[in-house]
């Protein structure tokens, strides 16, 4: 993506109709690579095929990132200081922008536009099938001193992103985490409120050279 576009990024019209709620199939929480093997294979990739991910893969991916793994306690797969659960995972798809609801394990439509190209300046964000956006809601961090909230939230977002890395290593997918973002433009495209802060974005898809 040309540097001349910095500060001028805008979402595109949605590609296809966006459902108001995407109900995900139950996550498959058995199987996959052993942890040490997944760690050995964890890496960043920057060449993505545009083929959409199957709904089951999307379900498993989001559960790995921030799903509920202890239903009786409401515990998640990633830690949160003082259980603030301040990080929301947004999912940018060609047909629209969604917010992941871990409790219901559904995707809730935020707006029916394609904001993928606004999630970063790299060329591949235009065509990769999925962009995750990690957004912190500072209003949920009332027990955390204000000066420490961004630091705490960044740690929580990093834990989620690493969960995604390990899932992708296990599932044979490509991913890369990114911080080179026009946060003002993306916040506007997403309709975020003043207490919301974009921390990171993460691209996920099949590796282009492996797609068939």
């Amino acid at each position: 993506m040309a540097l001349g576009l910095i500060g001028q990024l805008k979402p595109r019209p949605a590609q296809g109709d966006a459902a108001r709620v995407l109900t995900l199939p139950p996550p498959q929480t058995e199987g996959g690579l052993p942890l040490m093997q997944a760690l050995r294979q964890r890496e960043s990739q920057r060449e993505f095929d545009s083929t959409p991910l199957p709904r089951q893969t999307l379900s498993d991916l989001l559960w790995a990132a921030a799903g509920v793994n202890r239903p009786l306690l409401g515990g998640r797969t990633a830690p949160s200081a003082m259980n603030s659960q301040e990080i929301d995972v947004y999912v940018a798809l060609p047909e629209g922008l969604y917010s992941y609801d871990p409790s219901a394990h559904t995707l809730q439509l935020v707006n029916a536009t394609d904001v993928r190209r606004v999630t970063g300046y790299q060329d591949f964000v235009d065509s990769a099938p999925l962009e995750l956006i990690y957004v912190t809601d500072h209003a949920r961090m009332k027990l955390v001193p204000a000066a420490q909230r961004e630091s705490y939230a960044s740690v929580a977002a990093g834990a989620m992103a690493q969960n995604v890395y390990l899932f992708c290593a296990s599932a044979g997918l490509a991913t890369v985490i990114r911080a080179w973002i026009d946060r003002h433009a993306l916040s506007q495209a997403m309709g975020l409120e003043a207490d919301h802060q974009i921390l990171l974005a993460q691209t996920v898809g099949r590796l282009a050279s492996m797609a068939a």
Side-chain angles (χ1 to χ4, degrees):
M1 188 173 294
L3 293 180
L5 293 177
I6 289 179
Q8 303 175 21
L9 302 179
K10 296 184 182 299
R12 291 175 171 171
Q15 301 178 30
D17 296 328
R20 294 186 61 83
V21 178
L22 286 181
T23 301
L24 300 170
Q28 297 178 344
T29 59
E30 303 290 337
L33 294 181
L35 175 60
M36 299 304 282
Q37 186 175 349
L39 284 167
R40 188 172 70 244
Q41 296 180 200
R42 190 222 67 84
E43 62 178 327
S44 294
Q45 298 282 356
R46 294 172 178 82
E47 296 181 5
F48 298 89
D49 182 73
S50 61
T51 305
L53 298 179
R55 190 67 60 88
Q56 183 65 60
T57 301
L58 182 59
S59 170
D60 298 347
L61 168 73
L62 292 170
W63 183 86
V68 175
N69 65 352
R70 288 153 291 157
L72 293 179
L73 300 174
R76 308 280 181 86
T77 59
S80 170
M82 303 180 189
N83 199 32
S84 300
Q85 303 300 345
E86 71 277 16
I87 304 297
D88 288 321
V89 180
Y90 287 80
V91 181
L93 299 170
E95 64 268 29
L97 175 70
Y98 289 85
S99 177
Y100 176 53
D101 180 346
S103 298
H105 195 57
T106 58
L107 287 173
Q108 305 289 330
L109 183 66
V110 176
N111 61 60
T113 57
D114 182 0
V115 304
R116 290 176 298 163
R117 71 184 309 261
V118 197
T119 66
Y121 299 116
Q122 298 87 347
D123 289 337
F124 56 74
V125 302
D126 283 315
S127 57
L130 170 65
E131 300 288 344
L132 303 177
I133 308 159
Y134 301 98
V135 176
T136 181
D137 184 350
H138 288 277
R140 300 179 195 165
M141 305 180 73
K142 300 185 186 302
L143 298 178
V144 178
Q148 299 178 25
R149 289 177 184 174
E150 184 173 349
S151 176
Y152 279 35
S154 296
V155 170
M160 292 180 181
Q162 178 70 339
N163 283 359
V164 171
Y165 264 108
L166 293 177
F167 171 80
C168 288
S170 180
L173 297 174
T175 188
V176 64
I177 195 167
R178 302 177 290 98
W180 190 30
I181 303 165
D182 183 337
R183 288 171 172 78
H184 177 69
L186 184 54
S187 293
Q188 286 188 321
M190 297 174 67
L192 298 180
E193 299 179 0
D195 281 336
H196 294 171
Q197 179 186 10
I198 296 169
L199 297 174
L200 298 166
Q202 189 167 15
T203 308
V204 180
R206 294 181 178 87
L207 187 62
S209 60
M210 296 177 60

